[in-house]
Amino acid sequence: MNDFFKILTICSITLMTTKSNAQEKFTTYDNTYGEKTYEIQISSKDKEKFSLYIDAMSLDSNHSKGGITIDQKQHQDFLNAIAEAKIKYEEWVNTAKENDVKELDKTMTIKSKAGAYFLYGNKWNFQNFVNLKYDFKIIESKGEIKYLLLLKTGKLQSSSNQFMKVDGFVFVFSSTKEVDDFTNAISSEKITEFMNKPKKEALFKD
Protein backbone atom coordinates (compact mmCIF):
# COMPACT_ATOMS: atom_id res chain seq x y z
CA MET A 1 0.00 0.00 0.00
CA ASN A 2 2.88 2.34 0.79
CA ASP A 3 4.28 1.77 -2.71
CA PHE A 4 0.90 2.68 -4.17
CA PHE A 5 0.86 6.03 -2.34
CA LYS A 6 4.44 6.73 -3.41
CA ILE A 7 3.53 6.16 -7.06
CA LEU A 8 0.40 8.30 -6.69
CA THR A 9 2.43 11.13 -5.16
CA ILE A 10 5.04 11.00 -7.93
CA CYS A 11 2.34 11.06 -10.61
CA SER A 12 0.64 14.03 -8.98
CA ILE A 13 3.90 16.01 -8.83
CA THR A 14 4.66 15.18 -12.46
CA LEU A 15 1.21 16.33 -13.57
CA MET A 16 1.53 19.56 -11.61
CA THR A 17 4.96 20.29 -13.11
CA THR A 18 3.75 19.56 -16.62
CA LYS A 19 0.74 21.79 -16.17
CA SER A 20 2.68 24.70 -14.65
CA ASN A 21 5.23 24.68 -17.48
CA ALA A 22 2.69 23.97 -20.23
CA GLN A 23 3.00 25.75 -23.52
CA GLU A 24 0.33 28.25 -24.48
CA LYS A 25 -0.53 29.58 -27.92
CA PHE A 26 1.14 32.97 -28.12
CA THR A 27 0.79 34.21 -31.69
CA THR A 28 1.33 33.28 -35.35
CA TYR A 29 3.34 34.46 -38.33
CA ASP A 30 2.85 34.12 -42.08
CA ASN A 31 5.17 32.46 -44.57
CA THR A 32 3.86 33.79 -47.89
CA TYR A 33 6.45 31.83 -49.88
CA GLY A 34 5.11 28.56 -48.45
CA GLU A 35 1.55 29.95 -48.28
CA LYS A 36 1.20 28.86 -44.68
CA THR A 37 0.69 30.35 -41.23
CA TYR A 38 2.84 28.96 -38.41
CA GLU A 39 2.17 28.96 -34.68
CA ILE A 40 4.33 30.38 -31.92
CA GLN A 41 3.81 29.02 -28.42
CA ILE A 42 5.21 30.24 -25.12
CA SER A 43 6.12 28.49 -21.90
CA SER A 44 6.77 30.62 -18.81
CA LYS A 45 7.80 29.77 -15.26
CA ASP A 46 7.44 33.29 -13.91
CA LYS A 47 7.19 36.89 -15.14
CA GLU A 48 10.77 36.95 -16.42
CA LYS A 49 11.69 33.45 -17.60
CA PHE A 50 10.15 32.15 -20.81
CA SER A 51 10.75 29.97 -23.83
CA LEU A 52 9.29 30.52 -27.28
CA TYR A 53 8.47 27.50 -29.46
CA ILE A 54 8.42 28.78 -33.03
CA ASP A 55 7.18 26.39 -35.72
CA ALA A 56 8.94 26.53 -39.08
CA MET A 57 8.89 25.01 -42.56
CA SER A 58 10.28 21.48 -42.65
CA LEU A 59 13.04 20.46 -45.06
CA ASP A 60 12.35 16.78 -44.33
CA SER A 61 9.68 15.04 -46.39
CA ASN A 62 9.11 12.43 -43.66
CA HIS A 63 8.98 14.69 -40.60
CA SER A 64 6.96 17.85 -41.07
CA LYS A 65 6.52 19.26 -37.56
CA GLY A 66 9.18 21.18 -35.65
CA GLY A 67 10.96 24.47 -35.21
CA ILE A 68 13.21 26.38 -32.83
CA THR A 69 13.14 27.33 -29.17
CA ILE A 70 14.29 30.72 -27.95
CA ASP A 71 14.56 31.37 -24.21
CA GLN A 72 14.82 34.73 -22.46
CA LYS A 73 18.64 34.59 -22.46
CA GLN A 74 18.79 34.07 -26.25
CA HIS A 75 15.91 36.37 -27.13
CA GLN A 76 17.67 39.72 -27.61
CA ASP A 77 20.63 38.18 -29.47
CA PHE A 78 18.15 36.44 -31.77
CA LEU A 79 16.34 39.70 -32.51
CA ASN A 80 19.66 41.50 -33.06
CA ALA A 81 20.80 38.84 -35.53
CA ILE A 82 17.57 39.08 -37.52
CA ALA A 83 17.80 42.89 -37.56
CA GLU A 84 21.36 42.64 -38.89
CA ALA A 85 20.28 40.08 -41.49
CA LYS A 86 17.43 42.36 -42.58
CA ILE A 87 19.86 45.23 -43.27
CA LYS A 88 22.12 42.94 -45.29
CA TYR A 89 19.07 41.52 -47.11
CA GLU A 90 17.94 45.02 -48.16
CA GLU A 91 21.44 45.85 -49.37
CA TRP A 92 21.75 42.65 -51.40
CA VAL A 93 18.28 42.99 -52.93
CA ASN A 94 19.22 46.45 -54.23
CA THR A 95 22.54 45.15 -55.55
CA ALA A 96 20.83 42.26 -57.30
CA LYS A 97 18.28 44.54 -58.97
CA GLU A 98 20.92 47.05 -60.07
CA ASN A 99 23.01 44.28 -61.62
CA ASP A 100 20.14 42.17 -63.00
CA VAL A 101 21.12 39.11 -60.90
CA LYS A 102 18.33 36.54 -61.15
CA GLU A 103 19.85 33.54 -59.40
CA LEU A 104 21.96 33.41 -56.24
CA ASP A 105 22.45 31.45 -53.03
CA LYS A 106 24.78 33.18 -50.56
CA THR A 107 25.35 32.62 -46.85
CA MET A 108 25.64 35.63 -44.55
CA THR A 109 28.32 35.78 -41.84
CA ILE A 110 25.56 36.37 -39.26
CA LYS A 111 24.82 33.61 -36.77
CA SER A 112 22.78 33.13 -33.62
CA LYS A 113 22.03 30.31 -31.22
CA ALA A 114 18.80 28.53 -30.37
CA GLY A 115 17.37 25.18 -29.42
CA ALA A 116 15.28 23.03 -31.75
CA TYR A 117 12.49 20.47 -31.60
CA PHE A 118 10.90 18.03 -34.03
CA LEU A 119 8.25 15.35 -34.08
CA TYR A 120 9.68 11.92 -34.90
CA GLY A 121 6.88 9.40 -35.19
CA ASN A 122 4.69 10.27 -32.22
CA LYS A 123 7.48 11.55 -29.98
CA TRP A 124 8.79 15.09 -29.60
CA ASN A 125 12.57 15.32 -29.69
CA PHE A 126 14.90 18.19 -28.85
CA GLN A 127 18.36 19.37 -29.81
CA ASN A 128 19.57 21.67 -27.08
CA PHE A 129 22.03 23.78 -29.07
CA VAL A 130 21.71 24.90 -32.69
CA ASN A 131 23.79 27.41 -34.64
CA LEU A 132 21.29 29.15 -36.88
CA LYS A 133 22.44 30.10 -40.37
CA TYR A 134 21.23 33.06 -42.44
CA ASP A 135 21.11 32.81 -46.25
CA PHE A 136 20.16 35.15 -49.09
CA LYS A 137 18.54 33.41 -52.04
CA ILE A 138 17.27 34.63 -55.41
CA ILE A 139 14.99 32.36 -57.40
CA GLU A 140 12.62 32.67 -60.33
CA SER A 141 9.16 31.26 -59.63
CA LYS A 142 6.21 31.44 -62.02
CA GLY A 143 7.95 34.10 -64.06
CA GLU A 144 8.66 36.27 -61.01
CA ILE A 145 12.01 36.96 -59.35
CA LYS A 146 11.86 36.34 -55.60
CA TYR A 147 14.39 37.63 -53.08
CA LEU A 148 14.40 35.47 -49.96
CA LEU A 149 15.98 35.72 -46.52
CA LEU A 150 16.35 32.22 -45.09
CA LEU A 151 17.00 31.27 -41.49
CA LYS A 152 18.05 27.60 -41.26
CA THR A 153 18.60 25.16 -38.41
CA GLY A 154 20.65 22.71 -40.44
CA LYS A 155 20.24 18.97 -39.84
CA LEU A 156 19.02 18.06 -36.37
CA GLN A 157 19.69 15.13 -34.07
CA SER A 158 17.76 14.29 -30.93
CA SER A 159 19.71 14.96 -27.73
CA SER A 160 18.19 11.81 -26.22
CA ASN A 161 18.50 9.44 -29.19
CA GLN A 162 21.32 9.75 -31.73
CA PHE A 163 19.39 7.70 -34.29
CA MET A 164 16.54 10.19 -34.51
CA LYS A 165 17.57 12.73 -37.12
CA VAL A 166 15.79 15.14 -39.48
CA ASP A 167 16.90 17.40 -42.32
CA GLY A 168 15.99 20.52 -40.36
CA PHE A 169 13.70 23.53 -40.60
CA VAL A 170 13.78 26.91 -42.28
CA PHE A 171 12.16 30.32 -41.89
CA VAL A 172 11.49 31.99 -45.24
CA PHE A 173 11.00 35.75 -45.45
CA SER A 174 10.03 37.23 -48.82
CA SER A 175 10.24 40.92 -47.87
CA THR A 176 11.40 43.27 -45.16
CA LYS A 177 7.75 43.64 -44.11
CA GLU A 178 7.58 39.92 -43.34
CA VAL A 179 10.75 40.22 -41.26
CA ASP A 180 9.28 43.19 -39.37
CA ASP A 181 5.95 41.43 -38.80
CA PHE A 182 7.78 38.40 -37.39
CA THR A 183 10.08 40.35 -35.06
CA ASN A 184 7.20 42.56 -33.88
CA ALA A 185 5.19 39.43 -33.06
CA ILE A 186 7.92 38.14 -30.73
CA SER A 187 9.08 41.48 -29.33
CA SER A 188 9.80 41.87 -25.62
CA GLU A 189 6.78 44.17 -25.35
CA LYS A 190 4.42 41.57 -26.82
CA ILE A 191 5.85 38.83 -24.61
CA THR A 192 5.55 40.95 -21.46
CA GLU A 193 2.01 41.96 -22.36
CA PHE A 194 1.01 38.33 -22.88
CA MET A 195 2.65 37.08 -19.67
CA ASN A 196 1.00 39.83 -17.61
CA LYS A 197 -2.48 38.89 -18.77
CA PRO A 198 -4.51 37.08 -16.11
CA LYS A 199 -4.95 33.38 -16.83
CA LYS A 200 -8.42 32.21 -17.85
CA GLU A 201 -8.84 30.32 -14.59
CA ALA A 202 -8.15 33.51 -12.60
CA LEU A 203 -10.98 35.35 -14.33
CA PHE A 204 -13.63 33.02 -12.93
CA LYS A 205 -13.35 33.07 -9.16
CA ASP A 206 -15.52 30.77 -7.10
Side-chain angles (χ1 to χ4, degrees):
M1 184 62 71
N2 287 337
D3 288 340
F4 171 78
F5 282 114
K6 285 181 181 178
I7 294 171
L8 187 62
T9 302
I10 291 170
C11 289
S12 298
I13 293 171
T14 302
L15 286 171
M16 288 171 66
T17 303
T18 302
K19 187 175 181 181
S20 63
N21 296 332
Q23 298 167 29
E24 299 177 83
K25 182 176 179 181
F26 173 46
T27 186
T28 62
Y29 72 96
D30 294 326
N31 176 341
T32 60
Y33 175 78
E35 298 180 340
K36 188 173 179 179
T37 298
Y38 290 92
E39 284 197 0
I40 302 175
Q41 297 190 349
I42 190 169
S43 173
S44 59
K45 294 181 180 179
D46 53 44
K47 296 294 183 183
E48 296 180 355
K49 294 181 180 180
F50 64 85
S51 290
L52 296 177
Y53 293 77
I54 310 174
D55 290 350
M57 178 187 290
S58 176
L59 296 174
D60 193 311
S61 58
N62 295 317
H63 306 93
S64 61
K65 293 183 179 180
I68 65 170
T69 61
I70 300 291
D71 64 27
Q72 77 282 350
K73 293 179 181 178
Q74 300 163 327
H75 184 246
Q76 192 56 55
D77 286 342
F78 179 64
L79 292 179
N80 291 345
I82 295 179
E84 188 179 352
K86 174 192 163 186
I87 293 171
K88 183 62 65 176
Y89 168 79
E90 290 178 309
E91 177 189 326
W92 286 359
V93 167
N94 290 333
T95 300
K97 290 179 177 179
E98 289 169 1
N99 294 275
D100 197 30
V101 179
K102 297 181 179 179
E103 186 177 352
L104 183 71
D105 194 346
K106 185 175 176 63
T107 299
M108 298 177 176
T109 56
I110 303 161
K111 290 182 180 179
S112 60
K113 296 184 182 296
Y117 60 93
F118 58 91
L119 187 64
Y120 197 102
N122 61 356
K123 181 181 178 183
W124 286 105
N125 288 268
F126 299 85
Q127 182 172 321
N128 296 328
F129 300 102
V130 177
N131 288 312
L132 301 175
K133 189 175 78 166
Y134 296 76
D135 286 356
F136 176 65
K137 192 175 184 69
I138 305 174
I139 61 172
E140 186 170 354
S141 177
K142 299 177 182 177
E144 180 183 356
I145 303 297
K146 293 184 180 292
Y147 306 92
L148 307 176
L149 174 60
L150 308 179
L151 194 168
K152 299 179 179 179
T153 65
K155 293 185 177 182
L156 301 174
Q157 176 181 298
S158 172
S159 296
S160 59
N161 188 330
Q162 62 178 322
F163 299 106
M164 291 186 175
K165 302 177 181 179
V166 296
D167 291 334
F169 297 85
V170 60
F171 295 80
V172 184
F173 302 105
S174 302
S175 66
T176 54
K177 181 181 183 303
E178 285 189 22
V179 178
D180 289 339
D181 288 346
F182 175 74
T183 53
N184 288 336
I186 62 168
S187 67
S188 297
E189 292 78 13
K190 292 290 177 64
I191 292 172
T192 300
E193 180 184 343
F194 181 86
M195 291 171 63
N196 286 335
K197 282 183 179 179
K199 303 302 180 185
K200 291 181 182 178
E201 292 81 4
L203 295 173
F204 301 93
K205 296 180 181 179
D206 193 353

